[in-house]
Amino acid sequence: MSDRHDTTSRSVTILAIETSCDETAAAVVVDGRDVRSSVVSSQVDLHARFGGVVPEVASRAHIESLVPVVDEALARAGVDGADIDAVAATIGPGLIGSLLVGVSAAKAYSLAWGVPFVGVNHLEGHLHAAFLEDPDLVLPAAVLLVSGGHTLLVAMERDGRYRLMGQTIDDAAGEAFDKVARFLGLGYPGGPAIDREAGSGDPTAVAFPRGLRHQGFDFSFSGLKTSVVRYVKTHPEVAIPDIAASFQEAVVDILVEKTRAAAASIGARGICIGGGVAANSSLRERIVSAAHADGRRPFVPSRAMCTDNAAMVGATAWYRLRTDGPTPLDAAADPNLRLPLVA
Ligand code: KG4
Ligand code: ZN
């Protein structure tokens, strides 16, 4: 490899691509920290009338948007192909048709420009988002990853080494937000809609159940969702903001309680949240107060960094390029890829 690809001594500029679900995103990130551009083209309007992401619609939209989004990211960063040292893309988990668009494009750019390709785990991307904005990583850290597809509680004892402490046994937290919002007629995506409604509601209006409370670090949200549906059907007079606020309170209570307990059990110095649900106003506030009350340092990414974006992919790619080297060009996108865990 030429000097240009030496990732240890000089600055490394990465073009990163994210197409795992319904956002087409590209970013230029230097040395895993310095975000020169981050462009996100959302497909929300395309999927809204279906009340959720339609995989075939998503992959077609990625195909249409990808090149313009990459061009925009390069232009905003003031670079072109000759300045790029590696091209990264989310390789899983996600929708296979959507992942394939980003992965194939990234491999093509890497071949055309003669630079390495780096396949990035989307969950590790969400995890790195917090450290991208606040590089003072303190370990050990308890990390709560909450998105539309995942709810994981992870112990990070050493940089880049993750141990699974708990996960959902049914719906992901974001999925619960989306399903409840849909039932309440608040539209898609549900998380931001519930967050908004909850702002003018009373979180103590209805005492919804807290699944698996005091039972280890696993989560369960499907009973909560059923309970909201049953309650609304039998109490149609209760105002939607009160239902939204009470539902959100039930989710956030359990997320905060378990993260706090997990942090205590590993003697964590830091508490970190990531994933789309980490954009939730109440979760953000409560995790910061809990961390401060317990003498731990909170790592809470900005809202834009919580939801899907390519800057987090670029940051993770830089780290993985240094630790594991490039990803072979024959590596396949994996819709079920898991976070690389240690025992
Ligand atoms: O990480 P993400 O953008 O995509 C996945 O990898 O799944 O997460 C999307 C999820 C959706 O379920 C969405 O409703 C939820 O994150 N979400 C929120 C908020 N913003 C997005 N949930 C609660 N409150 C929010 N403000
Ligand atoms: Zn995500």
Side-chain angles (χ1 to χ4, degrees):
M1 252 185 209
S2 69
D3 271 348
R4 184 170 142 75
H5 304 154
D6 176 358
T7 56
T8 52
S9 57
R10 55 185 295 277
S11 81
V12 175
T13 303
I14 295 184
L15 166 67
I17 294 172
E18 156 64 43
T19 62
S20 66
C21 190
D22 60 344
E23 323 277 6
T24 314
V28 174
V29 183
V30 177
D31 289 345
R33 298 255 156 97
D34 181 4
V35 181
R36 296 283 167 89
S37 65
S38 178
V39 178
V40 180
S41 163
S42 175
Q43 303 176 4
V44 161
D45 296 346
L46 284 179
H47 300 287
R49 67 192 172 104
F50 301 107
V53 178
V54 183
E56 181 59 25
V57 172
S59 14
R60 283 169 190 242
H62 285 307
I63 291 173
E64 280 173 19
S65 312
L66 189 73
V67 172
V69 165
V70 165
D71 287 348
E72 177 78 22
L74 293 172
R76 281 196 205 170
V79 298
D80 61 25
D83 303 307
I84 299 296
D85 299 302
V87 184
T90 298
I91 199 160
L95 301 169
I96 186 64
S98 293
L99 288 167
L100 278 171
V101 177
V103 167
S104 313
K107 287 176 178 175
Y109 283 116
S110 106
L111 272 173
W113 295 336
V115 297
F117 162 70
V118 189
V120 169
N121 183 308
H122 183 79
L123 298 172
E124 194 174 19
H126 275 306
L127 199 150
H128 271 257
F131 308 124
L132 169 60
E133 292 178 318
D134 187 349
D136 269 345
L137 173 61
V138 295
L139 297 175
V143 184
L144 175 70
L145 281 182
V146 267
S147 69
H150 295 86
T151 297
L152 303 175
L153 200 42
V154 173
M156 190 169 168
E157 269 133 6
R158 283 200 284 139
D159 200 0
R161 312 256 295 170
Y162 318 113
R163 185 166 57 79
L164 184 65
M165 299 187 74
Q167 60 189 324
T168 182
I169 58 165
D170 41 55
D171 291 351
E175 196 178 348
F177 269 95
D178 293 336
K179 285 179 176 169
V180 166
R182 190 170 173 170
F183 171 71
L184 297 176
L186 298 177
Y188 165 86
I194 291 208
D195 198 344
R196 242 182 346 261
E197 288 290 318
S200 57
D202 173 7
T204 63
V206 190
F208 287 125
R210 271 71 171 154
L212 301 182
R213 191 170 218 172
H214 310 307
Q215 293 176 55
F217 299 128
D218 281 343
F219 301 90
S220 168
F221 295 110
S222 76
L224 169 59
K225 176 197 63 197
T226 312
S227 157
V228 172
V229 171
R230 200 176 308 128
Y231 189 88
V232 171
K233 284 187 175 155
T234 50
H235 300 79
E237 73 288 356
V238 178
I240 298 288
D242 287 346
I243 301 285
S246 302
F247 160 76
Q248 178 175 280
E249 184 82 349
V251 176
V252 171
D253 268 356
I254 213 78
L255 292 176
V256 173
E257 256 180 49
K258 295 209 178 214
T259 307
R260 206 168 180 179
S265 85
I266 60 165
R269 291 176 61 217
I271 286 194
C272 167
I273 57 173
V277 180
N280 183 266
S281 321
S282 167
L283 177 60
R284 300 167 73 80
E285 269 173 40
R286 299 230 348 239
I287 211 86
V288 171
S289 341
H292 286 149
D294 298 343
R296 304 185 216 285
R297 180 137 180 232
F299 291 84
V300 175
S302 62
R303 281 197 163 82
M305 202 54 85
C306 290
T307 47
D308 289 348
N309 66 85
M312 68 184 195
V313 175
T316 311
W318 178 78
Y319 179 78
R320 283 293 161 205
L321 195 55
R322 281 163 46 113
T323 55
D324 306 349
T327 306
L329 280 177
D330 60 359
D334 179 356
N336 302 314
L337 190 65
R338 289 167 176 264
L339 198 63
L341 297 170
V342 293

